[in-house]
Structure formats: structure tokens, C-alpha cells
Amino acid sequence: MSYSIKKAAVIGSGVMGSGIAAHLANIGIPTLLLDIVPKELSDEEKLKGLSLEDKIVRNRLSELALKKLLKQKPAPLTSKDNLALIEAGNLEDDLSKLAEVDWIIEVVVEKLQVKKQVFEQIDQYRKQGSIVSSNTSGISVEAMAEDRSEDFKKHFLGTHFFNPPRYLKLLEVIPTQHTKPAVVQFMKVFGEDVLGKGVVLAKDTPNFIGNRIGTYGLLVTVQEMLKGGYSVGEVDSVTGPLIGRPKSATFRTLDVVGLDTFIHVANNVYDQVDGKEKEVFTVPAFMKKMFENGWLGSKSGQGFYLKKGKEILELDPHTLEYGERKKLKSSSLEMVKQVKGTSAKMKALVYAEDKVGKLLWNIFAPVLVYSAELVNVIADDIVSIDNAMKWGFGWKQGPFEVWDAIGVEQSVNKMKEQGLAVPTWIEEMLAKGITSFYKEESDGMYFYDSSDYKKIEQNPKVINLKQLKNQGKLIKKNTGASLIDIGDGVALLEFHSPNNAIGLDILQMINYSVDEVAKNYKGLVIGNQGKNFCVGANLALMLMEAQDDNIFELDMVVRQFQNAMMKIKYSPKPVVTAPFAMTLGGGSEVCLPSAHIQATMETYMGLVEVGVGLLPGGGGNKELYIKHLKNMPNGVDFDLQKVANKVFETIAMAKVSTSAEEARENNFLNNADGISVNADHQLYDAKQAVLSLYSQGYKPPIPQKVPVVGEPGYATLLLGAQGMHLSGYISEHDMKIAKKIAYVISGGKVPYGTKVDELYLLDLEREAFLSLIQEPKTQQRMQHMLVKGKPLRN
């Protein structure tokens, strides 16, 4: 039978359950959220004269969870409107509704007996062939399904989401011996293509993959801290981005996760293993004491760190007192400042003969060996283990990629010198002369699997730009960008300047690409696989020119930017932009004139130039205004002033969307623009959009005149800003910028309703931009942003 999920139910409305329900709602799946019926009335309910029989009381837990979804940070919902897709209910009155759903996810307390009771109820009401899964973080999936019906067992598996479900990419899928292979295959594809997750198949072992290795690694680090006499802050100063781990490093991560959760996960393995492994999973005494004290981390206000005023203090594990936060200093840390790339930095540090080198080696070596011992125990291959750590824990490289980075042969020799037992399969691999776990060939990546290299199977929707360039698909490149042939008659323009900031090199490549595509291709995608799509124009370059009074040069640069954006807009072949993550300032200006935008779910768009004392200069004001006008229904009278007000507010307040859905609400995207839930599939989706537009006989837009609000509208726009200025909410310089933005959006000194052409609006925009960049206070703001990375209020 073929499977499809049109409706789902989540059992358990705690943080995780409601978060999963929110993620399902974000992708448009109507979801039933059920929890237990309260045994007694709350004080509030008593005051209202309610009884235990009232529906509102019986649904209290799930209703409360829905309210919390609107307040939680980071937001579980991509748009508040998505809440309408979640229906609250309870486990007594609404069990019959389970017959209507295609997927039931259990997210109740981590106790086997409780879960088994819930599954007994579900088994009585679910329809045949519906999929049932448990979001357990480590309880045996096999044991949960023991007494269930045949059809239940065939359609049951573990689906372990990581918290928060909207943002963390990993989904561990854990089949049992009874799960039908078709169900496992369906959940893998559904997980990737619809839920947008990175799916790994895990075996039914304690804590599966991510939590097994992640917890081991954290405990090894804590034990090394105690043994080597390091402080909490010192460990965190070298176990974060320096070695390709998240900024929260080790102990800040534990504070965020919560010590109670961490201890529960560690104990789960401790109870099921023995020998040396059991020793590592023994939670240190000082952490048990912290747990008794209720020092659980962020949720209780203190943990390994305590915030006092503006100062952050670190815990001394020996005295359990808080003191000044320390950082490790060493000659090797100074040395690696000159080294480029995480892999090279790690290799240099791990073999350093100082405090940092010893700490990192003593953390890395046991985790690498442990990961190798667990191949075929927790997962079928090294790729699953590496992906689980990257997607679930934010590691830049998984254990086997780290091993390749520091050198397999060199590290194994050092391990053996220190008496660490390296698994036989690695010894055998090295004996064959194979010295790396991964290798790259022209047709893709290969991994070592028990006796030889095997090709890594990619989802066909994943386009890898680095691989395409290695295969000779590069059409042209300069320092800032590359034009790549991505197949089927579609080319892709990739930015790769520092931070993908737009300079003259990128503008040249935009012009070249549009011309080349017009002659030889069906269309163009503008996208990349960097950290962010684009954080704006090259600020340093502009500030330098401004400080040297090179206004003529700046005028030329802004004109070139504007012309390149117009070239995108009026390209004879469709140009599709693929923004993701930070898409700010010039990044948004590249997207607005394109034929179609294919964003990812996590796209943060905004025209933020106000933060550096400027206004958008590449056509952003004009294009956002036109996009608002286009969203107005044809033939219906609308208030032009309201449109101008909305655009003015968005730009003057530098509003940035917190999701692509919100970018749509702010009119950066229109209803025809697309959103890729799986960021890895975005370039594929953008390519499909090009092919679709091309096959429909794409024609560029016809230049049209734009109605503006003129002088009376300008006065209206300024009213609000003046009120904010008088109440001290914005500075005098902010007011100056607001006036310029208002002037550009209103269309200058013309009567209300005048229709002006685009070039006229671009001239207004450029003049305003050039006048602001000459202001000393604007230059101070630009300087501050470049040095400190945050806006200056002056």
C-alpha cells in the first residue's frame, strides 16, 4: 500500500509535543493535540465557577500548550496564523478522532509503562494502516510495541525529533524487527521531503545515535575538566566554534538543555551498559549536587553559569561557588589565529604540547574510539553517525570527519602509544593502506564501509555546488562570484565573497550571468551554500570611499548596483533567487526584482540599512513598494497612502522577518513565491521554478509607471516619525534618515497619485543614499558596525 500523511495527531502537549505539533502546522498538516484530563480545578477555574466536566477544563493542558506556542522564544510557529491548524483535545473525549488521522506521534513522559498504556488506547481507535511512532529519546522502541496488534506493530517505529523541532535538523528513525520496510522507507522520504529534516536510520539501542555519542562526549569533557584542573569557562573557551562546535560549547549547552534532562539521558545508558562504558556514564557527584540544589541551567536561572547584572559568573565544581569567568590562554591558541579552516585549526591544536592541546586530545581521542566501537551497533555506517552529530548537536564535522581532519594514521599511533584500544576494523583499514574514512571522487563522496569504499547515496533533490565545480561545470568566476551550469539548461550564480557581501565583483558577475543566460540557457538561479544568503553590500568599501570624499566613485557604484538589479528584473529569461538565513539589505534587494523567490523556511529578510545610517540604495525602496502594490487586488480601489505607510514603516524600522512566512506577511514574498521546508532541497526547487517559468513561455515584465503619494503623502509619513522623535524614541539622526526614506517612498515633490517611472524613483533613492553617506554620524554608524558587529544609536 502507498502511504500519505494528510492529518496527524500528537499525544502529549509538553514543550516537545506542542513543538512537534507546531512544526506539522508550519508545513500545513492539520494536527490534533491531545493530553490527559486534569483531576482537579485550578484556582482560576474555580473563580469562573467551572466544573471538571466542562470542555475547557478537560482540554486545559492542550489549550494551555497552544497559548504558550505564541509566547515561546525562539518561536515554534513560522506564522501565528498556523495555530489554526492545531486542534486541542484530551485523551478521554477525543480518542475516537484518532481514526481520522494518518500519523499518530506519542510524546508522553519517558516511562515505558506509561507509553505502553497510551499505545494500548491508540491501538483500539487508530485506523488500519495508519503510522504510529514514539518520540522517545532512548527507551526501547521494540519493548513499547510488545503487546500490540499485528497491524500496529507493522506500522510502528521510533521518530526522535530534536528540540526545538522547528529549528533542529535531525530526525532519528528507529524501526523495530516488525516494522514494514515500506513504512521505514516512506518515513525517511517524508521526513526529508515534507518535514524538511535530515533523517538517519538508527538501531534500537540506548539513546540511539545522537544522544549516545553526544552524552558520552559531554561526560568525557566534564571528567577531563576535573582531572586536568580546568575551569568551566576555560573548557568552554576552546570547545566551541574553534573546533567546529556551537557557540554554546560544553557547559553553556548543558545549561540550555537542562541538567535534569541531561542526567536522565545519561542514566538511561548507565542502566543498560557495563564495564568502562558504565564508568563514563556515571554522572559526577558535583552535578548530582547541582541537581539536588535545583541548579538546572537556564530554566532555573542558574547552572554552570550565573548571570549577575551584566556579568556572567562560572561555577567552581569543587566548591560549588560562582566566580569570575576564565578563558584558556596558550601559545597554540595564538598560533592557530593564523591558520585557516576548522580542520587545519583542529589538527594544529590537538597535537600541541600545551594545556589546550592536552585538553582537546583527551576529549577527542576517547570520543573517536567510542564512535568507531559503535559502528554497526547504533547505526549501519559512519555516515549516519556523522550526520546525527552534525544535524542534532550542531557539530561542523562528525566524529569520522574529525578523525580525517586530524589524520587517521598519526592519531591512531598516538592512541596506541597511550594504551587506547583502537577497534580492529580501523587497524585492518590502515593495514590495507587506506588512511581516510571519506574520499571525494568526480561523481561524489565515498565512505569506508567494513572492507572498501561505498558511494554516499544522496537524495536526488540535493544539489552540491562544490561537487559540480569539481566536475568542471564552472562557466566563469571572479573573486566574488561564480557562474555554474547546474544541468537541464539552468545556470546558477553563486556569491562567495566574505559574508557574501555585494561588491563590484559580484555586480560584474550579475551582468555577465544575465547576458550569458539570455543567449545560452533557459534561466538563472541566484543562490549559494554559504552560512547566509547575503548580508548586504560591501560596507567597508563604501565607508572608505565616503571618508575619502570620493562621491563621484560612490555615485558610480550605486548606479551599477541599481542597473544590475534592473537587469535581473528585465532579464529575458527567468531569474529565480534562493534566499536563506540572513538575507539583509542588498541581499533582499537582489531578491525583490527577481521573477520568483524560492526561500527556505528559515529566511530572515529585511532592508536594514537604517542600522548603519543609510537607506536602501539598490532599488529596495522602489521594489518593496511595487511588490506591495502588486499584492493589491486588481480593479479594487485601495488607499495608496496606507501602502506607502506600510513600506515606510518596514524600511524605517528595519523590520526583519523571523521566517519566510513572516517575510510573506511583510510583502517581501508574494503568494506565488515558494518556500522550501528542507534547506538542502532549495536549489533543486529553485531550478524547478526556472524550468516551470521557461516552459510556460516566460516573458519579462513590461515597464510600467508607478503611482506615488507625492507631497501630501510625504507630510503624512513624517507625522509618525516626528511623534517618535519628540518622545525621545528616535534620535535626531534617525529623524534625518526617516525624512529621506519618506521622500523617496512618496515620490518627491509631485501631486498625490502622480505616476512616475522607475528611473525617476531610482534617482531619488541614489541622491538620498549619497547625501546620507556623507554625514559624519552615518560614517560613525558604519564604522561601529564594522568594528563591533552591532548598530550604534547616535
Side-chain angles (χ1 to χ4, degrees):
M1 83 178 259
S2 68
Y3 297 96
S4 78
I5 292 170
K6 293 190 174 63
K7 197 172 178 189
V10 175
I11 315 289
S13 68
V15 172
M16 201 65 196
S18 60
I20 292 170
H23 186 64
L24 292 170
N26 289 337
I27 54 179
I29 296 177
T31 302
L32 187 62
L33 183 63
L34 305 182
D35 212 318
I36 55 172
V37 174
K39 296 274 186 283
E40 51 189 55
L41 293 170
S42 68
D43 293 344
E44 204 182 327
E45 286 162 347
K46 285 175 190 161
L47 281 173
K48 287 181 180 167
L50 296 168
S51 78
L52 286 171
E53 295 314 305
D54 284 309
K55 186 80 176 157
I56 194 160
V57 175
R58 294 176 73 76
N59 288 353
R60 185 210 305 153
L61 295 177
S62 45
E63 289 284 8
L64 202 60
L66 295 189
K67 285 194 185 116
K68 281 185 186 165
L69 285 179
L70 297 172
K71 292 180 188 150
Q72 256 167 272
K73 293 247 182 307
L77 295 162
T78 53
S79 163
K80 290 182 175 172
D81 295 350
N82 296 342
L83 199 65
L85 282 171
I86 309 174
E87 181 193 343
N90 68 69
L91 280 168
E92 287 174 24
D93 309 328
D94 301 301
L95 278 170
S96 60
K97 291 180 182 171
L98 294 180
E100 301 158 21
V101 308
D102 310 298
W103 181 24
I104 301 162
I105 314 159
E106 166 275 311
V107 201
V108 303
V109 60
E110 285 286 86
K111 289 187 175 148
L112 180 61
Q113 281 324 109
V114 178
K115 288 182 185 292
K116 287 183 83 161
Q117 282 166 6
V118 168
F119 289 130
E120 190 179 347
Q121 286 180 294
I122 290 171
D123 206 358
Q124 291 168 38
Y125 290 94
R126 64 178 277 273
K127 64 181 177 192
Q128 295 278 299
S130 66
I131 294 168
V132 184
S133 70
S134 170
N135 178 66
T136 177
S137 57
I139 292 177
S140 167
V141 182
E142 202 80 56
M144 290 181 209
E146 259 167 14
D147 310 312
R148 300 282 50 84
S149 65
E150 202 56 39
D151 187 74
F152 182 103
K153 284 181 180 175
K154 281 180 186 167
H155 295 91
F156 179 68
L157 69 174
T159 50
H160 180 213
F161 287 82
F162 274 59
N163 194 25
R166 170 182 159 185
Y167 300 95
L168 278 186
K169 190 172 169 176
L170 181 61
L171 175 65
E172 292 179 322
V173 168
I174 310 103
T176 71
Q177 57 179 339
H178 302 290
T179 316
K180 280 167 73 170
V183 172
V184 181
Q185 184 53 28
F186 169 77
M187 280 313 285
K188 185 176 182 338
V189 175
F190 176 79
E192 287 173 359
D193 292 1
V194 183
L195 295 172
K197 296 294 171 197
V199 177
V200 295
L201 293 182
K203 293 180 186 281
D204 190 13
T205 55
N207 288 5
F208 315 126
I209 304 171
N211 279 342
R212 179 81 170 261
I213 289 171
T215 310
Y216 184 90
L218 280 163
L219 285 165
V220 161
T221 308
V222 174
Q223 286 151 13
E224 191 50 40
M225 172 184 77
L226 297 172
K227 211 161 58 195
Y230 301 91
S231 87
V232 162
E234 284 178 333
V235 171
D236 271 2
S237 69
V238 294
T239 56
L242 183 70
I243 59 165
R245 304 282 168 84
K247 273 207 297 242
S248 54
T250 303
F251 294 102
R252 180 82 191 92
T253 298
L254 282 169
D255 274 354
V256 171
V257 167
L259 193 59
D260 49 346
T261 307
F262 178 76
I263 288 175
H264 170 80
V265 173
N267 287 343
N268 192 43
V269 183
Y270 176 86
D271 293 339
Q272 299 179 65
V273 295
D274 41 44
K276 280 195 87 161
E277 194 176 357
K278 202 176 190 79
E279 271 174 48
V280 176
F281 280 96
T282 307
V283 176
F286 86 95
M287 286 168 82
K288 289 179 180 163
K289 187 74 187 136
M290 285 172 72
F291 176 72
E292 285 164 27
N293 292 352
W295 300 352
L296 308 178
S298 306
K299 57 180 150 192
S300 67
Q302 71 186 97
F304 291 97
Y305 291 104
L306 172 68
K307 197 170 181 195
K308 271 216 168 148
K310 286 194 169 178
E311 205 185 355
I312 293 172
L313 305 174
E314 63 169 61
L315 183 77
D316 181 330
H318 306 288
T319 63
L320 288 192
E321 285 170 359
Y322 290 92
E324 192 186 333
R325 189 163 48 158
K326 301 182 194 74
K327 277 184 176 179
L328 266 182
K329 291 181 174 65
S330 77
S331 53
S332 63
L333 284 177
E334 288 307 308
M335 178 193 72
V336 298
K337 284 180 181 167
Q338 315 306 309
V339 178
K340 276 198 161 66
T342 308
S343 294
K345 276 183 171 37
M346 275 196 298
K347 186 164 189 175
L349 287 170
V350 152
Y351 298 113
E353 289 297 323
D354 61 13
K355 230 181 156 186
V356 171
K358 287 194 177 98
L359 171 66
L360 291 178
W361 172 262
N362 290 341
I363 290 171
F364 276 175
V367 175
L368 300 182
V369 169
Y370 186 64
S371 303
E373 287 169 350
L374 291 176
V375 175
N376 292 322
V377 177
I378 59 174
D380 281 332
D381 52 59
I382 64 170
V383 181
S384 302
I385 293 176
D386 278 348
N387 283 341
M389 299 319 295
K390 289 191 288 191
W391 296 339
F393 283 77
W395 292 14
K396 208 170 180 179
Q397 297 170 310
F400 296 96
E401 291 167 318
V402 166
W403 214 331
D404 274 356
I406 66 169
V408 182
E409 231 171 343
Q410 189 181 350
S411 58
V412 166
N413 288 338
K414 185 168 176 175
M415 287 168 183
K416 282 155 82 174
E417 276 167 30
Q418 295 183 340
L420 254 179
V422 177
T424 320
W425 71 269
I426 290 181
E427 300 262 27
E428 288 166 356
M429 175 180 112
L430 290 170
K432 286 182 196 161
I434 295 173
T435 57
S436 70
F437 294 106
Y438 292 95
K439 67 169 180 175
E440 195 168 356
E441 299 284 354
S442 60
D443 62 340
M445 285 295 285
Y446 285 73
F447 70 99
Y448 183 77
D449 186 49
S450 65
S451 60
D452 204 356
Y453 283 110
K454 252 191 203 167
K455 191 173 178 192
I456 297 175
E457 291 305 320
Q458 281 281 23
N459 186 311
K461 291 184 180 174
V462 174
I463 291 175
N464 185 321
L465 296 181
K466 188 173 163 230
Q467 235 161 54
L468 288 172
K469 285 191 273 194
N470 289 346
Q471 289 164 13
K473 302 288 184 187
L474 186 68
I475 302 163
K476 186 181 169 83
K477 80 173 278 192
N478 66 18
T479 49
S482 294
L483 186 64
I484 306 160
D485 185 335
I486 57 170
D488 301 317
V490 180
L492 177 136
L493 177 61
E494 174 198 28
F495 299 168
H496 45 60
S497 61
N499 289 326
N500 291 347
I502 299 168
L504 290 171
D505 46 6
I506 284 182
L507 296 178
Q508 279 168 359
M509 281 299 285
I510 290 174
N511 290 325
Y512 172 83
S513 302
V514 174
D515 289 341
E516 173 64 18
V517 164
K519 289 199 288 269
N520 299 315
Y521 291 86
K522 293 176 179 173
L524 176 70
V525 172
I526 300 179
N528 63 73
Q529 290 173 324
K531 189 178 164 198
N532 295 302
F533 174 72
C534 171
V535 295
N538 187 331
L539 206 56
L541 180 86
M542 292 196 299
L543 178 61
M544 225 159 54
E545 297 289 3
Q547 285 172 338
D548 291 344
D549 279 339
N550 286 340
I551 301 308
F552 178 75
E553 291 279 329
L554 276 168
D555 181 68
M556 187 195 75
V557 172
V558 180
R559 273 177 204 271
Q560 284 186 332
F561 198 151
Q562 292 182 340
N563 292 343
M565 298 307 102
M566 290 292 270
K567 197 152 182 139
I568 287 172
K569 182 169 187 171
Y570 293 108
S571 159
K573 299 281 177 68
V575 177
V576 171
T577 42
F580 61 92
M582 297 293 187
T583 302
L584 305 175
S588 288
E589 288 184 295
V590 170
C591 297
L592 287 167
S594 62
H596 178 89
I597 298 174
Q598 184 67 38
T600 64
M601 201 152 121
E602 302 305 328
T603 300
Y604 314 125
M605 288 183 95
L607 295 166
V608 295
E609 286 81 355
V610 168
V612 288
L614 293 166
L615 86 176
N621 307 278
K622 162 184 76 84
E623 285 301 336
L624 189 62
Y625 181 63
I626 290 171
K627 202 131 185 167
H628 275 69
L629 291 178
K630 278 191 178 155
N631 282 346
M632 293 295 160
N634 274 341
V636 175
D637 268 347
F638 62 87
D639 186 344
L640 198 57
Q641 185 68 52
K642 281 187 175 165
V643 175
N645 292 354
K646 181 90 178 6
V647 177
F648 173 73
E649 189 185 308
T650 303
I651 297 171
M653 296 182 74
K655 283 188 179 175
V656 177
S657 70
T658 59
S659 67
E661 280 293 345
E662 206 173 278
R664 209 194 296 279
E665 287 162 17
N666 294 346
N667 280 320
F668 281 86
L669 306 187
N670 59 30
N671 287 333
D673 291 326
I675 298 174
S676 300
V677 181
N678 191 328
D680 292 345
H681 300 175
Q682 181 193 21
L683 295 183
Y684 171 88
D685 295 339
K687 178 179 164 181
Q688 298 312 307
V690 166
L691 293 170
S692 167
L693 288 166
Y694 178 81
S695 67
Q696 290 163 29
Y698 178 78
K699 294 279 182 293
I702 298 161
Q704 284 176 335
K705 293 205 165 200
V706 184
V708 292
V709 291
E711 279 193 283
Y714 171 67
T716 308
L717 289 178
L718 280 189
L719 273 175
Q722 276 158 344
M724 288 167 83
H725 179 45
L726 289 170
S727 61
Y729 187 74
I730 61 172
S731 71
E732 193 145 330
H733 194 53
D734 291 326
M735 189 63 205
K736 191 175 272 186
I737 302 162
K739 280 182 177 169
K740 298 280 183 193
I741 297 169
Y743 192 75
V744 171
I745 287 164
S746 63
K749 292 179 176 170
V750 295
Y752 183 96
T754 303
K755 290 191 170 183
V756 298
D757 65 27
E758 287 183 84
L759 292 176
Y760 168 79
L761 287 172
L762 285 176
D763 288 342
L764 288 183
E765 198 168 299
R766 193 173 62 258
E767 285 156 20
F769 182 91
L770 293 171
S771 73
L772 283 171
I773 204 166
Q774 295 173 68
E775 292 276 346
K777 286 193 169 173
T778 285
Q779 292 180 13
Q780 284 166 15
R781 286 188 181 193
M782 293 169 81
Q783 183 86 37
H784 192 271
M785 179 60 83
L786 285 166
V787 176
K788 299 268 167 79
K790 49 187 179 211
L792 169 74
R793 295 301 304 271
N794 59 355

